[in-house]
Amino acid sequence: MQEKFYITTAISYPNGKPHIGHAYEAIAADAIARFHRLSGKDVRFQTGTDEHGLKMVQTARDKGVDVRDLCREMSDQFQAMCDTLNISYDHFQRTTDPKHHTASQAIWQAMAANGDLELGRYEGWYSVRDEAFYEEKELTLGEGGVKLSPQGTPVEWTVEENWRFKLSRYQEPLLKLYADHPEFIQPDSRRNEVINFVKGGLQDLSVSRTSFDWGVKVPGSEGHVMYVWVDALTNYLTGLGYPDMGGDMAKYWPAQRDADSGALKPANVLHLIGKDIVRFHAVYWPAFLMSAKLPLPKQVFGHGFLLARGGEKMSKSLGNVVDPIALAEQFGVDNLRYFLLREVSFGQDGSYSPEAIVTRCNAELANSFGNLAQRVLSMIAKNLDGELPKLHSASNQTDVDARLLQQVREVMPSMVKQMAERLALSILVEEWLARVTMGNQYVDEQAPWTLRKTDFERMKAVLAVLFACIRDLAITIQPIIPTAAGKLLDQLGIPRPPENTPEWLHHRGYEALNRTSWYEELRASGHRIAPPTPIFPRLELPVDDAA
Ligand code: MSP
């Protein structure tokens, strides 16, 4: 049976327009989703917007608009961002969707049935910006004696009667989870932070609010809406049809038990989120799921932050928030995707600047990969009338030819390993680029333009080897630069059946890399290479950015 894989991003607060940090997360998740689809898995990919809570209410009030209108307008912008950036999500979940209210109420009732919810009086520190409660010991003092959360946001003393979730009951089960499944929280540094936090003792969590009504109503408790994180986290289930345990739930979040222990097995689910919200996903979420007797996800991965030029935090007050749509228009979607995934070591913070995008994309896409494809395809078009030269079988290849083909073929297994072990997206790209460089070195050494005059047959053999390498490299890099890689495969004449079908996998999926018959099939089809148009034009630094 086809392996299932469910990947989610965090759902963003639509209290402002999407910024480059949101784009970064969506692009990374998209690359991972595409990688697994190309590997033949049945992938479900979900993103969306988190529309309840005090922060949304306050923003709408400040702008003088109705909170519903604000949600709709901004949520649309997040969805438009995903569409512009070629994010291949299967479902966009809004938390104002009535289905989501049903799902949140169902998980609430399951937690209540387990005896984990009780009504009480809550007094504590709340940060509206983080939509989070903090303990006194976690706070620091800011300017003018203002108390600040660990994220540096102001907190206020809150007193309310509300529902409390017995989080303290889950301290031991959570510590056992982290010990038994070290892969549950990644990277390791984030895992250690969470373990220390949980070891320090867990206090019960306030999970409803009565001072405003913009949220999911607590079932059977007039005047209470759920704490925004309870409903936000549940979005991951809503999109699969929870509380119906059939359909997509059965497919992507199945309740399967281990034959020996009888325990629920983790579902093959990856929550990709930023480092600032690891606690919610790695402490609260598994506790809620255990309480509701639902399976746990396999992994929570906390990626790093994207910082503005010079490593500054992006913030509205500093005026350095970067609009991803403007960047995509300026540099192209694939260039932006390539830059972000290549430049930032995945899991760590990274910074961005227009100069860095231009330098990297020109060096690696335009000059290295683009030039390799351009040189080879032009030579075939010009000197062979576009006809593919014969590719010698392995036993008849020279050592250099066989070595290059072998080196290119080796990239995939090592990429699969990097992906499985640590989602090392930037290393994946580096490995790919190393093969592009080998291809270019081979062109320079073999100098087919000289062979054209001295040994025409050898020139044909060299071009055939290069053509095969370029096809493999284009297939490999599809998750990172899907449009450009697809266009290049079109130029090569590789069939393009509808995406994610078995035929598509046969021609453009990773299984196609192990199939040697493709070359002869393509030759036999009579496909001719037209003089190519460059797929990776050089970028220019706009004058005002260069200043
Ligand atoms: N609504 C919550 C998430 C609920 S998930 C059940 C939230 N929203 S957010 O809009 O503030 O952030 C959405 C995602 O973007 C988070 O994973 C967050 O870490 C990420 N990022 C926000 N700023 C970022 C950067 N500057 N860089 C990279 N990612 C960043 O948190």
Side-chain angles (χ1 to χ4, degrees):
M1 208 181 49
Q2 206 183 4
E3 195 183 327
K4 308 279 186 282
F5 176 66
Y6 180 33
I7 176 166
T8 66
T9 66
I11 49 171
S12 305
Y13 292 124
N15 64 326
K17 289 208 282 190
H19 60 64
I20 188 76
H22 298 124
Y24 174 61
E25 185 169 301
I27 289 173
D30 183 63
I32 298 169
R34 287 177 188 270
F35 186 90
H36 287 289
R37 287 197 201 103
L38 284 158
S39 309
K41 290 187 194 152
D42 174 354
V43 175
R44 170 92 178 180
F45 174 17
Q46 180 173 310
T47 184
T49 41
D50 183 0
E51 306 181 17
H52 295 128
L54 200 49
K55 179 155 52 183
M56 290 304 293
V57 175
Q58 289 184 350
T59 309
R61 197 188 302 141
D62 294 347
K63 291 187 179 232
V65 296
D66 185 84
V67 67
R68 280 170 197 77
D69 295 340
L70 176 71
C71 287
R72 151 75 47 210
E73 184 196 332
M74 290 297 169
S75 176
D76 284 351
Q77 294 206 26
F78 276 86
Q79 197 163 356
M81 173 195 81
C82 289
D83 295 336
T84 304
L85 299 176
N86 205 1
I87 306 302
S88 59
Y89 59 90
D90 297 290
H91 180 69
F92 189 94
Q93 184 63 54
R94 297 186 56 191
T95 55
T96 42
D97 173 359
K99 283 196 196 120
H100 176 68
H101 286 230
T102 308
S104 306
Q105 287 168 339
I107 200 171
W108 180 281
Q109 276 162 329
M111 296 193 289
N114 203 41
D116 285 329
L117 296 174
E118 67 182 11
L119 207 51
R121 191 179 133 86
Y122 178 82
E123 293 192 13
W125 295 104
Y126 194 75
S127 155
V128 177
R129 259 202 261 160
D130 303 346
E131 296 279 19
F133 296 100
Y134 293 104
E135 292 171 34
E136 179 85 41
K137 65 180 180 203
E138 298 185 90
L139 306 179
T140 52
L141 278 186
E143 268 174 40
V146 185
K147 287 193 194 274
L148 298 177
S149 81
Q151 311 287 349
T153 61
V155 293
E156 56 195 54
W157 185 249
T158 312
V159 182
E160 265 184 38
E161 192 215 35
N162 53 25
W163 288 93
R164 308 183 64 165
F165 174 76
K166 291 187 185 160
L167 186 62
S168 51
R169 276 190 176 176
Y170 291 90
Q171 181 176 7
E172 287 313 314
L174 285 170
L175 289 172
K176 182 167 173 356
L177 165 70
Y178 310 147
D180 292 350
H181 295 281
E183 73 288 357
F184 178 70
I185 311 171
Q186 282 297 317
D188 285 337
S189 54
R190 315 249 189 268
R191 185 168 162 260
N192 296 335
E193 274 168 34
V194 171
I195 292 177
N196 287 338
F197 171 72
V198 175
K199 276 194 178 151
L202 290 176
Q203 297 200 343
D204 290 346
L205 183 69
S206 162
V207 286
S208 77
R209 312 295 308 269
T210 51
S211 53
F212 61 93
D213 65 358
W214 182 239
V216 178
K217 289 196 166 42
V218 171
S221 190
E222 194 63 26
H224 285 255
V225 292
M226 289 180 202
Y227 167 44
V228 62
W229 273 98
V230 176
D231 97 71
L233 290 160
T234 308
N235 96 86
Y236 301 133
L237 302 177
T238 308
L240 300 180
Y242 178 80
D244 177 357
M245 294 299 287
D248 285 334
M249 271 303 278
K251 229 169 156 184
Y252 300 107
W253 205 302
Q256 284 170 345
R257 291 191 180 272
D258 184 83
D260 296 329
S261 67
L264 280 169
K265 288 203 255 184
N268 198 8
V269 176
L270 167 64
H271 295 310
L272 189 69
I273 54 163
K275 61 179 184 179
D276 56 330
I277 55 172
V278 169
R279 182 185 298 181
F280 302 94
H281 285 80
V283 182
Y284 301 170
W285 183 225
F288 296 163
L289 289 167
M290 285 183 206
S291 169
K293 304 206 181 321
L294 288 164
L296 302 182
K298 216 173 241 174
Q299 189 165 77
V300 170
F301 190 100
H303 62 72
F305 259 46
L306 207 60
L307 307 167
R309 196 197 296 256
E312 268 175 6
K313 200 172 167 183
M314 273 186 273
S315 80
K316 279 189 200 143
S317 51
L318 287 173
N320 59 1
V321 180
V322 180
D323 174 6
I325 307 289
L327 275 187
E329 275 167 9
Q330 192 173 3
F331 300 113
V333 171
D334 277 352
N335 282 321
L336 178 62
R337 292 173 61 111
Y338 181 84
F339 170 78
L340 290 176
L341 298 179
R342 160 82 169 109
E343 178 86 2
V344 184
S345 170
F346 201 59
Q348 293 175 12
D349 292 350
S351 66
Y352 127 92
S353 73
E355 296 84 339
I357 298 185
V358 169
T359 309
R360 218 182 248 297
C361 291
N362 281 350
E364 299 177 2
L365 290 179
N367 295 353
S368 281
F369 189 46
N371 208 17
L372 175 65
Q374 192 66 18
R375 289 203 279 183
V376 171
L377 297 187
S378 308
M379 280 205 76
I380 296 177
K382 235 194 244 156
N383 300 301
L384 302 174
D385 225 6
E387 218 169 281
L388 275 191
K390 189 173 160 46
L391 180 65
H392 292 299
S393 61
S395 51
N396 290 325
Q397 282 161 7
T398 66
D399 287 352
V400 266
D401 296 0
R403 193 180 338 122
L404 179 67
L405 288 165
Q406 179 58 27
Q407 282 164 332
V408 170
R409 221 166 281 140
E410 277 167 3
V411 72
M412 208 57 231
S414 102
M415 279 171 83
V416 169
K417 190 161 170 277
Q418 294 291 346
M419 193 65 151
E421 286 173 5
R422 50 199 183 111
L423 296 184
L425 292 164
S426 57
I427 298 185
L428 246 70
V429 183
E430 251 173 55
E431 296 238 355
W432 170 83
L433 190 65
R435 269 64 178 195
V436 173
T437 306
M438 290 172 196
N440 274 318
Q441 277 166 355
Y442 173 92
V443 181
D444 293 340
E445 283 159 19
Q446 299 300 314
W449 46 87
T450 311
L451 291 172
R452 185 165 62 94
K453 294 177 219 134
T454 57
D455 186 348
F456 202 71
E457 281 310 303
R458 176 67 191 145
M459 175 203 80
K460 283 179 16 184
V462 164
L463 291 177
V465 166
L466 285 163
F467 187 90
C469 287
I470 292 167
R471 174 260 192 185
D472 285 4
L473 290 168
I475 289 182
T476 312
I477 202 66
Q478 287 175 99
I480 314 289
I481 46 172
T483 306
K487 266 196 210 157
L488 180 53
L489 290 170
D490 293 345
Q491 285 190 353
L492 301 183
I494 307 299
R496 186 198 272 265
E499 255 178 63
N500 305 321
T501 56
E503 298 73 39
W504 177 76
L505 283 175
H506 179 76
H507 290 292
R508 296 189 173 206
Y510 290 156
E511 67 180 56
L513 296 171
N514 299 323
R515 197 163 52 80
T516 45
S517 57
W518 70 274
Y519 195 90
E520 270 315 306
E521 283 163 21
L522 186 59
R523 250 165 66 87
S525 75
H527 175 77
R528 280 180 187 247
I529 305 299
T533 42
I535 289 176
F536 302 101
R538 281 182 64 81
L539 299 175
E540 299 290 336
L541 195 61
V543 185
D544 47 336
D545 282 329

